[in-house]
Amino acid sequence: MRGGGQGGVRSGAAGGCPSPSPAQVVLLLHPSCAAAMTGKSLLLKVILLGDGGVGKSSLMNRYVTNKFDSQAFHTIGVEFLNRDLEVDGRFVTLQIWDTAGQERFKSLRTPFYRGADCCLLTFSVDDRQSFENLGNWQKEFVYYADVKDPGHFPFVVLGNKIDKLERQVTTEEAQAWCLENGNYPYLETSAKDDTNVAVAFEEAVRQVLAVEEQLEHCMLGHTIDLHSSSKSGSSCC
Ligand SMILES: Nc1nc2c(ncn2[C@@H]2O[C@H](COP(=O)(O)OP(=O)(O)OP(=O)(O)O)[C@@H](O)[C@H]2O)c(=O)[nH]1
Ligand SMILES: [Mg+2]
């Protein structure tokens, strides 16, 4: 696994905390709530999945380094790069995980799915098979990332290589797939021409923030009455 860029990896739960006394209230905040409250940059992990050769590495490299390699090598395992950005007034460090799409590397990529905040399902508009495999990628992600509520997980679908003249998948077909499979946002990109690449990653951030703001709203809506045996507060979560 190779990786780099600015920023660190989201830390896990702190160990060794003493048990709270009855008078203490322990508030467990989701990282997005904590980041919002402290004004710190939020670290989001997004993962690129899709068939080998659809352009996942090229999209990541275009976005982070603004370079394109017309003779890129297949990825082996996973690689990641970080980029800081601001979306709708929120400062975010995007940790982009690029995976190997070839079947023979499945066991090398799947351990890295856990903890992803968003999944970018990628195909190439000049490769019909890569489009038909989107459902398999979605299932593989849900299984290995152990997504508890797939219906609310932020997926974004990318149709890459729109600079190519001969398409095998139309925009309408791709939009229809997205609508039927979870009403996912669909973006057409070209890593080669730098079309919609930044827009695609920003959309991923927006999708995550929308889900997390909902969660934040629910958590802040809860009140804890220490003197009552019954629970109170909203029950939107
Ligand atoms: N014309 C065109 N070619 C592209 C585009 N994106 C990637 N490519 C080319 O497609 C080939 C495969 O790109 P990669 O980025 O390596 O594909 P990948 O999805 O990372 O492939 P794996 O690592 O095997 O999973 C390379 O030759 C790229 O130069 C694009 O937007 N337009
Ligand atoms: Mg690659």
Side-chain angles (χ1 to χ4, degrees):
M1 187 265 283
R2 287 199 290 153
Q6 322 128 29
V9 179
R10 175 181 292 178
S11 57
C17 292
S19 302
S21 71
Q24 287 176 306
V25 176
V26 177
L27 190 58
L28 294 173
L29 285 180
H30 189 274
S32 74
C33 307
M37 287 172 170
T38 59
K40 283 187 181 161
S41 177
L42 174 65
L43 180 67
L44 295 183
K45 173 178 175 178
V46 301
I47 191 155
L48 284 154
L49 297 189
D51 281 10
V54 297
K56 300 178 296 298
S57 303
S58 302
L59 287 164
M60 178 179 75
N61 289 325
R62 170 61 83 188
Y63 185 56
V64 179
T65 67
N66 199 21
K67 289 187 180 135
F68 176 76
D69 180 359
S70 58
Q71 313 247 294
F73 290 108
H74 284 291
T75 305
I76 298 169
V78 296
E79 299 178 0
F80 76 86
L81 290 174
N82 287 358
R83 178 170 162 176
D84 294 330
L85 72 156
E86 187 186 344
V87 176
D88 304 333
R90 293 288 299 273
F91 292 94
V92 171
T93 297
L94 202 55
Q95 188 172 75
I96 304 164
W97 289 71
D98 169 35
T99 59
Q102 290 182 307
E103 182 58 26
R104 62 194 165 124
F105 297 127
K106 182 174 177 179
S107 62
L108 294 180
R109 66 175 177 255
T110 51
F112 295 92
Y113 293 4
R114 273 176 186 268
D117 296 295
C118 178
C119 178
L120 296 166
L121 296 170
T122 312
F123 72 97
S124 174
V125 297
D126 74 333
D127 175 0
R128 177 127 209 121
Q129 190 59 51
S130 71
F131 172 66
E132 286 174 2
N133 285 340
L134 283 180
N136 295 334
W137 286 107
Q138 183 190 28
K139 284 193 201 98
E140 182 176 298
F141 176 77
V142 166
Y143 181 79
Y144 287 98
D146 196 18
V147 176
K148 301 286 183 238
D149 185 7
H152 289 97
F153 189 86
F155 286 96
V156 174
V157 177
L158 306 182
N160 189 40
K161 304 196 189 182
I162 55 161
D163 58 281
K164 291 216 168 180
L165 296 177
E166 290 186 13
R167 290 180 66 132
Q168 292 186 0
V169 184
T170 66
T171 304
E172 293 71 28
E173 277 177 291
Q175 284 171 337
W177 189 90
C178 290
L179 195 62
E180 281 163 28
N181 287 276
N183 202 13
Y184 305 141
Y186 173 61
L187 289 138
E188 299 204 323
T189 57
S190 167
K192 184 180 180 190
D193 290 355
D194 197 10
T195 304
N196 268 346
V197 178
V199 174
F201 286 104
E202 284 161 17
E203 181 59 30
V205 172
R206 282 202 182 88
Q207 291 297 314
V208 179
L209 293 180
V211 170
E212 301 205 340
E213 268 161 25
Q214 207 182 352
L215 182 69
E216 196 174 323
H217 172 76
C218 293
M219 291 171 85
L220 292 174
H222 275 277
T223 55
I224 304 165
D225 181 353
L226 295 174
H227 302 289
S228 167
S229 55
S230 63
K231 288 178 187 165
S232 65
S234 71
S235 58
C236 61
C237 294

